[in-house]
């Protein structure tokens, strides 16, 4: 149960139940769907990039497990107002956090609330759930229509 | 004959192990079943003392390996009621068996405008090879409906067996819903209309006595690894007159009579369909699992699993917000379910942390998931080595899931 509490932290359960920035986004400049064929998780990320290259608005919708929903919700809060290069760097750090070795202390500098996903390291089968929204966001910003986790 | 489940459990070494610090509760036998000591020992003894390539060597060791391999064919034929052991073709698994039929039988039988009939509850392995065939030959796929209980609509199926229908490919038991299809009745319908029948028996052979001749089908496929045998050995049974008329699936060694650069002539079935060195040790293991199952008795297995299925169904329905997908009266011990508060993937992870192994996902049946209107389900599949205590551990873990997510 300890590993479970570590994985399903209160923040994650809360964002699963009440996802932030959920729903359609009017005036989106970028949009992509993320699909995890293994478990059927499916979500769409829409965002608006301003003249200075900052993501000043983004929202998501779709269906998925608690990890993928909470990850999408917390990601939208985390990256709002950031430049694309900053978001890429965040994704890299986030990816390291969820795929790192469980025997070493998790490194979550600069990730803020996203640190709650450190527990995913104990459940390698769930890494794709945690990173789905990020893959979709990156696809959207790169002008692709779809991101698949495999 | 009744089944002594505690004695049976001692035959499966893995059932004494722990998962995440708790005694393992294995409820994913429909994906792949665990192996009894008899199978593990038979394969290891074969490698240690009897191994050589088959159908080749002039020396005693090879002759003995060949004899043991061919003897499994005879035992498999007896186990599934095949009239002739030469109708048993060893393949890797059910998927390969169906692909073999789609290629060697389908490519000859199916022409432009013909129809291949499937059902909503098919596994991808009984969909994709037929779609590929339809694409190669310009044929059409028709799909028979199921009702809300997960029971096949026989009237609709019959209406699809029209003059253009040439092949009906159908599962004996649904890997998601557990529904047992009335194959005998269905093959009678198909035969009247001159439609060949290919039955996916992957989820039937582990649970009940199967008699391929009595079922009246033309082809029947199953996997060794789902009947407590090794992965890498599966079986295709086909009627001899059909097998004899079919060209080979793969070309190479063992499947020929004579080879010259001008012309090659095919060996008779089953060798015609067993090109190259097969997974010899797995076939030996398959023989061991069949002997093991025969020793316990498929009827005893069937009876115990039905008792367990009834118990598990009642216990699961005690959990608020839980829905079972698949409520056919005639059902094998497979329970797909949804919990209102948690996604199947989360259910799977929480159960895993409790040492309970279930499957969560689309179960290689995406068209069925679409029919059910869900992206995925959680599935607990039972085998004869499962107990009421296993079901209780499942239920306790689901209650915990509700607490966490509720």
């Amino acid at each position: 149960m300890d590993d479970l509490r570590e994985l399903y932290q209160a923040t994650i359960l809360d964002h699963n139940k009440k996802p932030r920035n959920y729903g359609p986004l009017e005036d989106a400049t970028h949009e992509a769907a993320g699909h995890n064929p293994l478990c059927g998780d499916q979500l769409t990320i829409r965002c608006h990039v301003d003249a200075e290259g900052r993501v000043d608005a983004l929202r998501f919708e779709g269906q998925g497990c608690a990890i993928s929903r909470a990850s999408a919700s917390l990601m939208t809060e985390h990256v709002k107002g950031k430049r694309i290069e900053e978001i890429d760097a965040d994704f890299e750090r986030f990816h390291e956090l969820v795929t790192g070795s469980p025997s070493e202390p998790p490194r979550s500098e600069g990730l803020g609330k996203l640190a709650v996903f450190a527990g995913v390291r104990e459940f390698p089968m769930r890494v794709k759930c945690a990173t789905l929204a990020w893959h979709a966001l990156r696809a959207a910003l790169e002008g692709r229509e779809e991101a698949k986790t495999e | 004959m009744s089944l002594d489940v505690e004695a049976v459990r001692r035959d499966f070494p893995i059932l004494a192990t722990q998962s995440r610090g708790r005694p393992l509760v294995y409820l994913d036998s429909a994906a792949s079943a665990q192996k009894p000591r008899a199978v593990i020992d038979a394969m290891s003894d074969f490698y240690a003392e009897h191994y050589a390539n088959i159908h080749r060597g002039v020396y005693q060791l090879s002759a003995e390996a060949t004899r043991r391999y061919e003897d499994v064919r005879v035992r498999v034929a007896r186990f599934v009621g095949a009239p002739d052991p030469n109708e048993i073709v060893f393949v890797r698994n059910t998927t390969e068996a169906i692909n073999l039929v789609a290629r060697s039988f389908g490519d000859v039988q199916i022409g432009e405008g013909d129809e291949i009939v499937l059902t909503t509850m098919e596994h991808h392995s009984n969909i994709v090879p037929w779609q590929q065939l339809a694409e190669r030959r310009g044929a059409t796929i028709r799909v028979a409906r199921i009702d809300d209980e997960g029971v096949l609509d026989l009237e609709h199926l019959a209406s699809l067996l029209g003059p253009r229908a040439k092949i009906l490919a159908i599962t004996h038991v649904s890997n998601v819903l557990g529904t047992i299809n009335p194959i005998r009745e269905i093959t009678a319908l198909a035969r009247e209309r001159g439609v060949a029948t290919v039955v996916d028996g992957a989820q039937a052979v582990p649970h009940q006595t199967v008699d391929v001749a009595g079922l009246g089908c033309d082809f029947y496929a199953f996997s060794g690894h789902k009947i407590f045998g090794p992965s890498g050995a599966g079986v295709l049974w086909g009627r001899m007159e059909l097998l004899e008329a079919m060209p080979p699936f793969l070309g190479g060694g063992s499947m020929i009579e004579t080879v010259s650069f001008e012309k090659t002539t095919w060996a008779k079935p089953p060798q015609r369909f067993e090109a190259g060195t097969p997974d010899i040790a797995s076939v030996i293991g398959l023989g061991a699992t069949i002997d093991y199952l025969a020793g316990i008795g498929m009827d005893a297995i069937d009876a115990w699993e039905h008792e367990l299925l009834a118990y598990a169904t009642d216990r699961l329905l005690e959990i608020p917000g839980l829905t079972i997908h698949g409520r056919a009266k005639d059902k094998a011990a497979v329970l797909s379910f949804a919990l209102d508060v948690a996604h199947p993937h989360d259910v799977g992870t929480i159960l895993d942390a409790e040492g309970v192994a279930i499957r969560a996902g689309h179960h290689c049946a995406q068209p069925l998931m679409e029919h059910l209107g869900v992206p995925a389900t959680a599935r607990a599949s039972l085998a004869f080595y499962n107990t009421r205590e296993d079901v209780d551990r499942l239920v306790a873990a689901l209650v915990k899931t509700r607490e966490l997510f509720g």
Side-chain angles (χ1 to χ4, degrees):
Chain A
M1 204 66 185
D2 287 353
D3 280 354
L4 265 190
R5 291 276 177 214
E6 184 65 26
L7 179 65
Y8 291 106
Q9 298 212 14
T11 310
I12 292 178
L13 293 171
D14 173 53
H15 278 258
N16 173 48
K17 258 191 167 170
K18 290 173 287 181
R20 322 296 198 265
N21 300 310
Y22 190 87
L25 177 71
E26 280 170 34
D27 316 325
T29 52
H30 296 73
E31 170 176 343
H35 182 209
N36 181 347
L38 189 70
C39 56
D41 286 359
Q42 214 146 12
L43 54 82
T44 300
I45 304 273
R46 294 185 186 88
C47 52
H48 185 271
V49 180
D50 69 15
E52 274 125 56
R54 285 176 206 280
V55 175
D56 58 358
L58 79 165
R59 290 169 80 77
F60 82 102
E61 54 189 339
Q63 53 185 355
C65 63
I67 305 298
S68 73
R69 273 165 74 89
S71 173
S73 172
L74 283 154
M75 178 193 78
T76 57
E77 287 190 330
H78 184 81
V79 304
K80 196 178 277 188
K82 290 194 177 186
R83 307 176 69 86
I84 291 170
E85 314 83 71
E86 294 174 286
I87 293 172
D88 279 345
D90 281 343
F91 184 21
E92 215 155 284
R93 277 198 291 269
F94 182 74
H95 200 267
E96 275 169 30
L97 175 74
V98 296
T99 55
S101 161
S103 56
E104 285 162 29
R107 298 182 51 196
S108 55
E109 303 91 59
L111 287 174
K113 274 201 241 171
L114 295 173
V116 296
F117 288 99
V120 173
R121 300 179 308 159
E122 300 280 350
F123 297 85
M125 306 293 286
R126 306 306 298 275
V127 168
K128 286 174 179 168
C129 309
T131 55
L132 180 63
W134 288 90
H135 283 291
L137 175 60
R138 183 131 88 181
L141 295 175
E142 287 172 1
R144 286 178 287 132
E145 282 175 0
E146 195 177 22
K148 280 206 172 87
T149 55
E150 52 196 304
Chain B
M1 190 164 56
S2 74
L3 185 140
D4 178 353
V5 69
E6 285 312 318
V8 157
R9 289 179 68 81
R10 286 192 291 275
D11 295 335
F12 289 80
I14 211 165
L15 297 180
T17 64
Q18 301 227 321
S19 174
R20 301 221 181 243
R22 288 154 207 267
L24 169 68
V25 174
Y26 189 72
L27 300 177
D28 197 22
S29 297
S32 201
Q34 298 298 346
K35 320 304 172 197
R37 174 62 71 192
V39 168
I40 301 165
D41 287 350
M43 293 178 72
S44 133
D45 289 353
F46 180 72
Y47 274 132
E49 293 176 30
H50 305 289
Y51 185 78
N53 211 335
I54 55 166
H55 299 143
R56 283 166 177 77
V58 293
Y59 46 93
Q60 201 230 337
L61 196 62
S62 172
E64 177 59 16
T66 305
R67 190 193 64 73
R68 285 169 185 262
Y69 180 88
E70 288 303 322
D71 187 56
V72 176
R73 205 185 300 279
V74 175
R75 277 138 67 202
V76 169
R78 201 178 305 140
F79 184 67
V80 297
D84 176 356
N86 289 324
E87 295 175 332
I88 300 293
V89 179
F90 290 127
V91 290
R92 273 189 307 152
N93 46 40
T94 308
T95 300
E96 186 172 286
I98 295 170
N99 276 277
L100 191 164
V101 178
R103 283 278 177 181
S104 292
F105 181 75
D107 273 350
V108 175
Q109 298 295 321
I110 295 287
E112 199 162 333
D114 284 343
E115 293 171 355
I116 301 161
V117 181
L118 310 175
T119 81
T120 306
M121 67 172 91
E122 299 311 313
H123 187 281
H124 294 168
S125 62
N126 204 24
I127 298 174
V128 180
W130 303 115
Q131 284 177 328
Q132 291 177 304
L133 169 63
E135 211 156 287
R136 286 197 299 276
R137 309 295 303 164
T140 308
I141 301 284
R142 307 291 304 272
V143 183
R145 287 191 297 252
I146 61 172
D147 70 13
D148 292 344
E149 305 278 278
V151 175
L152 188 62
D153 181 341
L154 285 182
E155 268 178 44
H156 185 239
L157 173 65
S159 76
L160 297 180
L161 299 175
R164 305 312 312 254
K166 291 289 181 302
I167 294 177
L168 165 65
I170 183 170
T171 191
H172 194 167
V173 172
S174 161
N175 70 312
V176 175
L177 306 165
T179 310
I180 302 174
N181 285 317
I183 296 297
R184 208 180 289 256
E185 205 177 319
I186 291 166
T187 58
L189 279 176
R191 218 174 20 252
E192 277 169 23
R193 295 159 161 87
V195 178
T197 46
V198 184
V199 179
D200 169 359
Q203 300 293 343
V205 183
H207 300 293
Q208 59 183 71
T209 303
V210 167
D211 171 21
V212 292
L215 287 172
C217 54
D218 294 306
F219 297 96
Y220 195 97
F222 63 98
S223 295
H225 74 97
K226 286 191 166 59
I227 62 164
F228 319 94
S231 49
V235 172
L236 170 69
W237 171 80
R239 287 185 190 284
M240 184 48 81
E241 66 267 31
L242 300 177
L243 292 175
E244 274 175 338
M246 284 158 55
F249 174 44
L250 301 171
S254 298
M255 47 70 72
I256 46 83
E257 204 170 62
T258 60
V259 176
S260 70
F261 283 110
E262 289 70 42
K263 178 152 180 69
T264 294
T265 54
W266 316 131
K268 288 190 169 53
Q271 274 73 35
R272 186 184 300 168
F273 304 104
E274 294 180 11
T277 298
D279 192 340
I280 305 166
S282 288
V283 168
I284 298 301
L286 179 65
T289 196
I290 280 171
D291 295 346
Y292 176 78
L293 291 173
I296 293 172
M298 290 313 296
D299 293 342
I301 286 172
D302 195 353
W304 171 240
E305 286 185 6
H306 270 87
E307 214 174 305
L308 214 50
L309 174 64
Y311 179 71
T313 305
D314 289 347
R315 294 275 352 247
L316 284 179
L317 291 175
E318 285 169 16
I319 300 169
L322 187 142
T323 319
I324 293 177
H325 296 294
R327 305 297 304 276
K329 278 196 198 72
D330 210 5
K331 180 172 168 171
V334 174
L335 293 138
S336 275
F337 57 90
L339 199 58
D340 55 353
V341 291
H343 186 278
H345 231 206
D346 297 313
V347 172
T349 296
I350 293 164
L351 267 52
D352 172 41
E354 296 290 314
V356 180
I358 63 151
R359 175 93 181 260
H362 55 61
H363 316 291
C364 298
Q366 285 178 358
L368 176 57
M369 294 296 115
E370 191 160 341
H371 170 83
L372 296 171
V374 296
T377 75
R379 180 189 69 186
S381 54
L382 306 167
F384 63 91
Y385 46 56
N386 288 121
T387 60
R388 284 195 175 78
E389 289 70 37
D390 289 343
V391 173
D392 293 341
R393 289 265 309 274
L394 167 70
V395 170
L398 288 169
V399 168
K400 227 168 217 180
T401 309
R402 277 195 71 81
E403 283 167 12
L404 193 64
F405 276 78

